[in-house]
Amino acid sequence: VTTFMLFIVNILVLKKASFPITFLWGQIVIASVILQALQFCGLFKIPSFKLSVIKNLVPLIGINVVGLGLNTLCLQYSDAMMYQIARSLVLPITIALTPILLKERVSLRVIGCCFIILVGFGVGIMGEKELRISLKGIIFGALSSLSTALHAVIIKQAFTKIEEKSPFDMIYYNNVLSSLILFPWLVFEVRSLATASKNHDESFRALLVGIFVAGTMGLLVNFASFLQIKVTSPLTHTVASAARGVLQSIACYFLLGENINILRGFGIGVTLSGTILYSLAKNYERNITMKQIVPLYEVIKQNESIK
């Protein structure tokens, strides 16, 4: 629900206010302030900044800033459905990156389930008769897909490289350092922001409200994403995101009036079927792994008793 609301808020704000850098930076700052407030209330302890930790987080912070920027630009130049289509590349890219960067094998069973999900996306695209094609939206969407896949993989790597294993700590580092990197880029929108503020422009008011709402929801989404990647895998996180994307498309039909014809409806059904099959496949592989581990544990225990 939070992911969908964040998605809708981003679209509505970017349609009214053409300040993507300020909007993005404001969200990150709001999330950082909320974490500071949680510390003040005794609910969260802010981690200290260590040079060794920052060095290990350089790839994470870099891909986070680039990815958020590309995602925001994709939203600005695409409608809700075009955004979902452009971002569908995240899944195959994640499959390709998993064995390369994480040295983890992806079974043919899992690849087959992911293929079904992609078929669902493809069928949905075939049903788009009034799709607003934007070259900039496609380009930014493809680049955003690549950065999103890399971001999930790098998050998984970061949990193995630093001492602070808490998702809250990782999110705090991520937001504070990302806001510092983005701050100098605000210079490109300062003049437009000043004009909008002076004229009491509606877009400026929408920007301020959107920053607060999106920043709060973004923090919740970040925590859920970091925690999910930590306990599962980047690929599982991506499949879950694909399922959320389908649900967002359905919600857009009711809230934004976007059309869902027969092909799009069939594509949604195929995609959801693929995500269910993926869950069953992962559960099957987990059970097989446990059956292999338990006998091995018994052998080790017997050898120790003999000694």
Side-chain angles (χ1 to χ4, degrees), residues 19-89:
F19 308 112
I21 299 177
T22 305
F23 182 50
L24 180 57
W25 180 78
Q27 291 182 53
I28 298 173
V29 170
I30 288 295
S32 302
V33 170
I34 292 175
L35 290 174
Q36 293 280 356
L38 290 176
Q39 177 185 245
F40 181 77
C41 297
L43 300 175
F44 171 64
K45 183 179 179 181
I46 291 178
S48 58
F49 282 90
K50 302 175 184 176
L51 184 59
S52 59
V53 173
I54 294 176
K55 286 182 178 179
N56 286 326
L57 290 178
V58 167
L60 174 62
I61 305 305
I63 197 63
N64 180 63
V65 172
V66 173
L68 287 174
L70 291 171
N71 186 59
T72 302
L73 290 170
C74 180
L75 280 169
Q76 187 173 19
Y77 290 106
S78 307
D79 60 16
M81 181 51 61
M82 187 65 215
Y83 172 79
Q84 299 297 342
I85 294 171
R87 293 292 306 278
S88 65
L89 293 173

Side-chain angles (χ1 to χ4, degrees), residues 242-290:
R244 287 198 301 267
V246 169
L247 296 177
Q248 286 173 358
S249 298
I250 296 174
C252 286
Y253 168 76
F254 292 102
L255 298 180
L256 300 181
E258 294 197 6
N259 180 46
I260 295 183
N261 53 33
I262 295 177
L263 278 177
R264 282 181 64 179
F266 182 70
I268 288 173
V270 173
T271 300
L272 288 177
S273 299
T275 58
I276 294 172
L277 290 174
Y278 175 87
S279 299
L280 295 174
K282 293 298 289 185
N283 186 60
Y284 173 79
E285 292 179 357
R286 191 179 301 111
N287 290 336
I288 293 296
T289 303
M290 290 303 298

Side-chain angles (χ1 to χ4, degrees), residues 118-136:
L118 289 176
V119 169
F121 275 112
V123 173
I125 293 173
M126 291 171 59
E128 293 299 325
K129 295 182 179 180
E130 300 178 358
L131 183 65
R132 183 172 65 89
I133 302 296
S134 167
L135 180 59
K136 289 183 178 180

Side-chain angles (χ1 to χ4, degrees), residues 47 65 133 166 180 228 230 234 238 247 266:
V65 172
I133 302 296
S166 168
L180 294 176
Q228 185 181 46
K230 179 183 179 181
T238 303
L247 296 177
F266 182 70

Side-chain angles (χ1 to χ4, degrees), residues 192-205:
S192 300
L193 277 170
T195 302
S197 176
K198 184 178 180 180
N199 297 334
H200 302 286
D201 198 306
E202 182 182 353
S203 64
F204 185 74
R205 293 193 295 270

Side-chain angles (χ1 to χ4, degrees), residues 94 98 102 104 152 156 228-238 278 282:
T94 304
T98 297
L102 294 179
E104 295 179 1
K156 190 70 173 181
Q228 185 181 46
I229 292 172
K230 179 183 179 181
V231 300
T232 58
S233 68
L235 185 55
T236 297
H237 171 70
T238 303
Y278 175 87
K282 293 298 289 185

